[in-house]
Amino acid sequence: MSNIRNFCIIAHIDHGKSTLADRLLEYTGTISKREMKDQILDGMELERERGITIKAKAVRMNYTSKSGQTYVLNLIDTPGHVDFTYEVSRALAACEGAILVIDATQGVEAQTLANTMLAKNANLKIVPVINKIDLPTADVDSAYEQMKEGLDVNAEPILASAKEGIGISEIVDSIIANIPPAKIINDEPLSALIFDSFYESYRGVIVIIRVFDGKIRKGMKVRFMASGAEHEVLEVGYMKIKMIEASELSSGEVGYVVAGIKDIRDIKIGDTITESSNPTKHPHEGYKEINPFVFAGLYPNSTSEYDSLKIALEKLKLSDASLVYFPETSVALGFGFRCGFLGSLHLEIIKERLEREFDLSLLVTAPNVVYKVKTKGKYVTIDNPSKFPNNADIEEIWEPYVEATIICPVEYLGDMLDLCQKRRGKQTSMKYMNVKIALLKYHMPLAEIIVGFYDALKSASKGYASFDYEHIEPQLGDLVKLEIMINSEVVDAFTVITHRDKAQTSAHYLTEKLKGIIPRHMFEIPIQAKVNNKIIARETISAMRKDVLAKCYGGDITRKRKLLEKQKEGKRKMRQFGRVEIPSEAFVAVLKIDE
């Protein structure tokens, strides 16, 4: 059993992580040529389209070396985006080593740096690989220099092309030679780390684990230490693309457990499984509750789809425990749900899955973060801008902050500094990885990066800059609630929380944008923006006018005047009682407020 190697692949998005996993599965004979397809571990259509891993996988490869020695190689795949950093850290905790993939054409990027730091914190042995060496734009020397200077990794990298299959045998040999074998501790009570889970209709929640101490077998009564739930194990086994049942999983092994669990909320990533009758005294460290950082309202375009949306969210929650939702009502949009997400990409993925998998047509309100507001000596948590207290009652506001890492070519450095300054960033460090590449670190409000920041960053750097962030302690902020009134009524869906210095600009942007989107009615419509009950911007949509004089051919002027006065009086009443129709494009305007 000392021949077990548990490892993961870490890389920036689109550096070839999934393609390398494909080649390893092919090289070790885990999957035949006939069954092989690109990105085989990315089962979701969305993952293939976007080229990112949304849901992590674990796969067991049996490999016989040239000397005739048999090895078990457990590849623990990790999600490929900053929103899922906690899941990445738990997957790394289940490994002894990591293959660090660097694109020879792009070099070290922000997520390469972030994931390398996570791997170093988990004390993993790093095997560096410079990928895509077959491309004409590959610059191996620059990638190697950035790896040494920026990542402080001094091991000699393996030159490879996952697409062409170059260097795969060297990578497998390096995994066996350099990554430490899993420690085998069978005489201790059971201690297994949960690093992933998914839902199956007939068997309930399937838990993916790494066993550190002891053994787990069918019929054993186990306890989940964080939730305190107890279940009987119905089946154990390991993943070899398909699930293969085994009699037991022992120390050092990676596999799955089926225990008839019906609610995925009972399973918490990073939790420790132990035997109920003989619990471990050493639960795994690093467990924490995952809380949503970004909230947005999801509303069906048609009120008849409300029940369909409710059922769809319930089903999606079974496969994604980090999704949080609860019903809410909006005056403008009707009945919907307030949903909590790990980040803006998580929001995009959930919306797209709801529309594709459940055939729904949805409207999403502007995403916002969670604020901690002190009123009358008490702290309240605000996840919906419309529930923000009046300014007179607020003593202090704490807003969530992140430490942002930006890696960009030196020629775009000025644009990056300008962009971060506009987004209220405070620079903490700047260093050069070589003469061409700079690394910036900023403390920024989370609210400033969840909408439009990534697009603005790519636009300002012509696509060359990369970006990553991690959450830090909240900071005090000078924030105000900006409300939009249409025809003297506050429309809650347009309410945003913004910095006091940006309120005037945002107010003018929104009122002008709404004036261009909302169609003209038979009456005049004022659009006003207010902060602390003070109007700071106004636009007016002029009324459509029916030609009431068309039937008058000549005649006395007093008759015409009488008809116009009658029309004016009718318009006054119409404005008093008229409802304004707001098209769905108007709600998208709030999303682009910072562009």
Side-chain angles (χ1 to χ4, degrees):
M1 294 304 281
S2 63
N3 289 351
I4 296 175
R5 302 288 186 278
N6 295 318
F7 68 98
C8 59
I9 305 174
I10 53 175
H12 189 82
I13 291 170
D14 210 27
H15 277 208
K17 185 162 72 82
S18 295
T19 312
L20 178 58
D22 290 348
R23 294 295 83 77
L24 291 173
L25 291 169
E26 220 170 46
Y27 182 76
T28 55
T30 306
I31 192 159
S32 66
K33 287 268 188 192
R34 184 174 57 81
E35 295 172 294
M36 192 65 204
K37 59 181 178 182
D38 288 346
Q39 289 174 258
I40 193 154
L41 292 183
D42 294 342
M44 218 183 287
E45 188 186 330
L46 207 54
E47 291 179 310
R48 294 167 174 281
E49 276 181 27
R50 287 176 174 248
I52 56 170
T53 302
I54 295 165
K55 196 73 183 146
K57 308 284 186 302
V59 64
R60 177 173 174 142
M61 299 176 279
N62 289 8
Y63 174 68
T64 305
S65 67
K66 295 180 183 78
S67 62
Q69 187 74 39
T70 304
Y71 293 93
V72 173
L73 308 178
N74 286 315
L75 166 58
I76 296 167
D77 194 17
T78 56
H81 195 273
V82 61
D83 287 0
F84 310 109
T85 301
Y86 176 66
E87 285 185 40
V88 173
S89 74
R90 295 302 83 212
L92 296 182
C95 303
E96 276 77 35
I99 300 174
L100 169 64
V101 180
I102 300 166
D103 187 333
T105 64
Q106 304 282 345
V108 169
E109 296 197 70
Q111 243 177 293
T112 323
L113 180 67
N115 288 341
T116 305
M117 292 303 116
L118 283 173
K120 284 185 173 181
N121 292 341
N123 297 318
L124 301 191
K125 177 72 179 174
I126 293 172
V127 176
V129 172
I130 294 179
N131 190 26
K132 304 191 186 180
I133 60 165
D134 58 309
L135 295 179
T137 52
D139 188 347
V140 174
D141 293 337
S142 174
Y144 182 45
E145 187 189 344
Q146 289 174 42
M147 185 188 88
K148 284 183 74 176
E149 295 295 319
L151 303 180
D152 198 21
V153 174
N154 295 315
E156 200 63 33
I158 298 164
L159 305 183
S161 167
K163 192 173 184 183
E164 299 298 325
I166 301 165
I168 303 302
S169 61
E170 288 87 343
I171 292 170
V172 173
D173 292 341
S174 186
I175 290 167
I176 291 165
N178 295 314
I179 292 177
K183 285 182 185 173
I184 310 300
I185 309 170
N186 281 327
D187 51 354
E188 286 283 320
L190 171 66
S191 172
L193 169 71
I194 300 172
F195 64 86
D196 196 19
S197 64
F198 60 92
Y199 188 84
E200 257 196 17
S201 302
Y202 300 109
R203 296 198 282 181
V205 181
I206 293 169
V207 185
I208 313 296
I209 62 165
R210 155 74 196 271
V211 184
F212 281 92
D213 305 339
K215 295 180 179 181
I216 186 167
R217 65 181 73 84
K218 186 177 176 179
M220 184 185 271
K221 195 91 180 287
V222 292
R223 182 191 303 158
F224 296 84
M225 296 188 84
S227 63
E230 295 194 354
H231 295 276
E232 186 181 325
V233 177
L234 304 176
E235 185 187 318
V236 296
Y238 50 86
M239 318 285 282
K240 218 172 177 181
I241 303 299
K242 297 184 178 78
M243 291 192 288
I244 296 170
E245 192 173 349
S247 57
E248 65 178 23
L249 291 174
S250 57
S251 177
E253 291 193 289
V254 173
Y256 70 88
V257 174
V258 179
I261 304 157
K262 296 299 176 195
D263 191 348
I264 201 162
R265 283 168 288 197
D266 289 348
I267 304 305
K268 300 183 187 297
I269 304 299
D271 194 2
T272 304
I273 296 180
T274 190
E275 192 173 1
S276 298
S277 57
N278 184 20
T280 181
K281 293 182 177 66
H282 314 291
H284 208 82
E285 292 178 1
Y287 167 75
K288 64 179 183 184
E289 289 278 350
I290 312 178
N291 295 315
F293 296 106
V294 173
F295 281 82
L298 284 180
Y299 292 86
N301 270 335
S302 165
T303 49
S304 61
E305 286 188 334
Y306 175 77
D307 288 334
S308 304
L309 176 58
K310 186 181 178 184
I311 292 162
L313 283 168
E314 284 169 5
K315 286 182 178 175
L316 211 54
K317 176 75 179 172
L318 293 174
S319 62
D320 188 347
S322 52
L323 171 66
V324 174
Y325 68 92
F326 43 89
E328 76 165 2
T329 311
S330 160
V331 175
L333 302 172
F335 293 101
F337 291 91
R338 192 96 194 142
C339 301
F341 308 94
L342 298 176
S344 49
L345 179 92
H346 191 209
L347 186 161
E348 275 181 58
I349 288 164
I350 294 295
K351 179 181 180 280
E352 210 156 322
R353 285 187 69 185
L354 286 167
E355 290 182 334
R356 284 185 187 201
E357 295 172 27
F358 302 96
D359 198 27
L360 293 168
S361 176
L362 297 176
L363 203 147
V364 182
T365 63
N368 65 281
V369 298
V370 183
Y371 297 99
K372 206 173 174 185
V373 181
K374 188 179 181 184
T375 57
K376 298 172 185 173
K378 289 182 181 176
Y379 284 101
V380 287
T381 304
I382 307 291
D383 58 31
N384 189 337
S386 60
K387 291 178 181 170
F388 217 73
N390 293 325
N391 193 59
D393 300 332
I394 296 173
E395 292 168 35
E396 57 186 37
I397 304 168
W398 291 85
E399 60 175 331
Y401 261 67
V402 296
E403 183 179 60
T405 303
I406 298 167
I407 295 177
C408 70
V410 171
E411 58 261 41
Y412 302 113
L413 193 56
D415 293 326
M416 294 297 104
L417 296 172
D418 188 42
L419 174 65
C420 293
Q421 198 173 343
K422 278 182 184 170
R423 300 284 181 140
R424 299 195 282 133
K426 297 170 194 163
Q427 192 183 105
T428 56
S429 75
M430 180 171 85
K431 73 173 186 178
Y432 292 89
M433 296 172 77
N434 59 24
V435 290
K436 293 180 182 174
I437 305 289
L439 188 152
L440 300 168
K441 283 192 180 284
Y442 271 85
H443 285 177
M444 297 176 80
L446 178 61
E448 296 287 346
I449 64 168
I450 59 170
V451 177
F453 180 77
Y454 189 71
D455 293 341
L457 179 97
K458 287 293 181 188
S459 177
S461 66
K462 296 186 169 59
Y464 287 108
S466 62
F467 166 70
D468 194 272
Y469 65 86
E470 62 178 65
H471 295 273
I472 56 172
E473 288 298 307
Q475 295 186 22
L476 283 168
D478 186 12
L479 305 168
V480 292
K481 176 165 77 168
L482 173 64
E483 294 177 295
I484 299 294
M485 295 166 66
I486 296 177
N487 203 17
S488 305
E489 280 183 32
V490 173
V491 181
D492 52 1
F494 292 134
T495 303
V496 289
I497 305 302
T498 184
H499 193 266
R500 194 180 295 275
D501 296 344
K502 288 186 169 188
Q504 193 79 45
T505 314
S506 300
H508 281 293
Y509 167 85
L510 272 175
T511 50
E512 283 172 23
K513 198 79 179 168
L514 291 171
K515 182 185 178 183
I517 293 170
I518 296 171
R520 289 170 71 190
H521 288 53
M522 294 297 289
F523 50 92
E524 190 181 83
I525 303 169
I527 301 170
Q528 298 161 299
K530 68 172 184 175
V531 170
N532 301 333
N533 290 325
K534 181 183 173 186
I535 305 296
I536 60 170
R538 174 182 168 129
E539 293 287 338
T540 305
I541 300 172
S542 57
M544 287 168 67
R545 187 176 172 212
K546 184 182 172 186
D547 190 1
V548 290
L549 304 181
K551 57 187 178 185
C552 294
Y553 297 101
D556 187 17
I557 188 71
T558 54
R559 186 172 172 228
K560 291 181 181 177
R561 205 170 281 150
K562 193 176 175 184
L563 285 169
L564 289 169
E565 286 298 323
K566 194 176 177 184
Q567 184 187 38
K568 195 188 285 182
E569 181 59 33
K571 282 207 188 293
R572 201 163 27 245
K573 281 185 183 174
M574 197 182 279
R575 185 181 157 195
Q576 193 177 345
F577 301 111
R579 283 186 61 82
V580 180
E581 293 296 322
I582 303 171
S584 57
E585 308 94 78
F587 300 98
V588 179
V590 187
L591 301 177
K592 296 181 178 172
I593 200 163
D594 287 316
E595 290 181 14

